[in-house]
């Protein structure tokens, strides 16, 4: 079952980073990440406006792990101990054996291979520990960094969903990507 993931110790050691559950103490670091309008540019959420909103976000991540609706890891940088991003799986469907992948990294760590390291580990983890069949991801058409990342991770671009969702007061095109168990990389 995909839900088996919630019974696993959710700490994954990588070379430069550690994936681990988000805690209330992460609110300051979450605020730095989620208040940056460049990080949030392609999200249908407004950047956080104050520290209270970061507290609520931390609590939402913690609650969603407890109620087994979402796995969102904090990406902890080993050299500094700082939380520099998050990643994980949501919209988990046991019936369809699939989940959606989400991720974001603080801006001053972009382009250093960090999210490739984090998501490779997360994908290995979920394909090893559960019977998931499909992971899907969505990227807005201009989000080249996200599309390059998905391509590098072995995802296949399944096409463009035209005027798929409202974002920043416009209906935008979104690309849909998937990785299947038969793709065999993880
Ligand atoms: C998308 C994001 C997570 C990428 O993280 P990252 O750690 O910088 O990515 P990596 O360094 O692992 O790069 C992965 C690949 O994408 C490429 N890439 C990264 N940023 C790029 C950019 N701005 N333009 C073109 N290519 C880019 C890298 O070159 C690399 O490919 P390569 O190894 O073949 O050279 C980061 O840009 C981010 O947090 N963006 C804002 C949040 C967001 O858009 N989340 C996704 C919503 S769908």
């Amino acid at each position: 079952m995909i839900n088996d993931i919630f019974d696993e110790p959710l700490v994954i050691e990588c070379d430069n980073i550690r994936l681990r559950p988000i805690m209330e103490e992460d609110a300051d670091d979450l605020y730095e990440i989620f208040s940056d309008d460049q990080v949030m540019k392609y999200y249908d959420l407004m950047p956080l406006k104050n520290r209270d909103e970061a507290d609520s976000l931390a609590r939402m991540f913690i609650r969603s792990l407890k109620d087994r609706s979402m796995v969102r890891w904090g990406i902890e940088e080993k050299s500094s101990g700082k939380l520099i991003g998050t990643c994980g799986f949501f919209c988990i469907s046991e019936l369809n054996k699939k989940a959606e992948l989400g991720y974001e990294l603080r801006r001053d760590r972009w382009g250093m291979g960090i999210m490739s390291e984090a998501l490779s580990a997360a994908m290995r983890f979920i394909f090893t520990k559960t019977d998931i069949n499909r992971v899907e991801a969505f990227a807005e058409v201009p989000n080249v960094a996200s599309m390059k990342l998905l391509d590098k991770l072995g995802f296949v671009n399944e096409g463009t969903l035209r005027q798929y969702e409202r974002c920043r007061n416009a209906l935008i095109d979104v690309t849909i990507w998937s990785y299947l168990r038969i793709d065999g990389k993880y």
Side-chain angles (χ1 to χ4, degrees), residues 105-147:
L105 192 67
R106 53 180 289 145
R107 198 190 332 172
D108 57 8
R109 302 300 199 278
W110 288 1
M112 297 161 65
I114 292 172
M115 197 54 84
S116 302
E117 189 177 351
L119 296 186
S120 300
M123 291 289 284
R124 251 192 328 272
F125 189 84
I126 199 164
F127 276 92
T128 311
K129 307 283 186 192
T130 81
D131 64 351
I132 193 164
N133 181 58
R134 171 185 166 101
V135 174
E136 55 191 24
F138 296 84
E140 227 182 280
V141 171
N143 195 350
V144 177
S146 187
M147 292 194 278

Side-chain angles (χ1 to χ4, degrees), residues 53-178:
E53 291 186 353
D55 281 331
S56 303
L57 185 65
R59 281 198 296 272
M60 186 276 289
F61 286 138
I62 294 164
R63 207 170 44 245
S64 66
L65 195 56
K66 231 180 230 164
D67 69 22
R68 298 165 83 95
S69 58
M70 173 165 96
V71 179
R72 197 77 175 194
W73 284 279
I75 303 173
E76 186 182 303
E77 187 174 49
K78 284 188 176 176
S79 60
S80 65
K82 236 180 141 42
L83 192 101
I84 58 169
T86 83
C87 67
F89 301 102
F90 59 107
C91 290
I92 295 170
S93 168
E94 201 63 69
L95 177 68
N96 299 305
K97 296 289 172 209
K98 69 177 181 180
E100 189 174 332
L101 179 65
Y103 43 87
E104 67 290 299
L105 192 67
R106 53 180 289 145
R107 198 190 332 172
D108 57 8
R109 302 300 199 278
W110 288 1
M112 297 161 65
I114 292 172
M115 197 54 84
S116 302
E117 189 177 351
L119 296 186
S120 300
M123 291 289 284
R124 251 192 328 272
F125 189 84
I126 199 164
F127 276 92
T128 311
K129 307 283 186 192
T130 81
D131 64 351
I132 193 164
N133 181 58
R134 171 185 166 101
V135 174
E136 55 191 24
F138 296 84
E140 227 182 280
V141 171
N143 195 350
V144 177
S146 187
M147 292 194 278
K148 285 268 232 170
L149 174 68
L150 291 167
D151 183 58
K152 185 178 173 187
L153 289 164
F155 279 70
V156 172
N157 185 341
E158 296 183 322
T160 301
L161 304 167
R162 298 183 306 151
Q163 301 186 358
Y164 182 65
E165 63 188 14
R166 183 167 294 280
C167 196
R168 298 177 302 278
N169 264 335
L171 292 171
I172 55 155
D173 293 351
V174 171
T175 56
I176 177 164
W177 298 70
S178 72

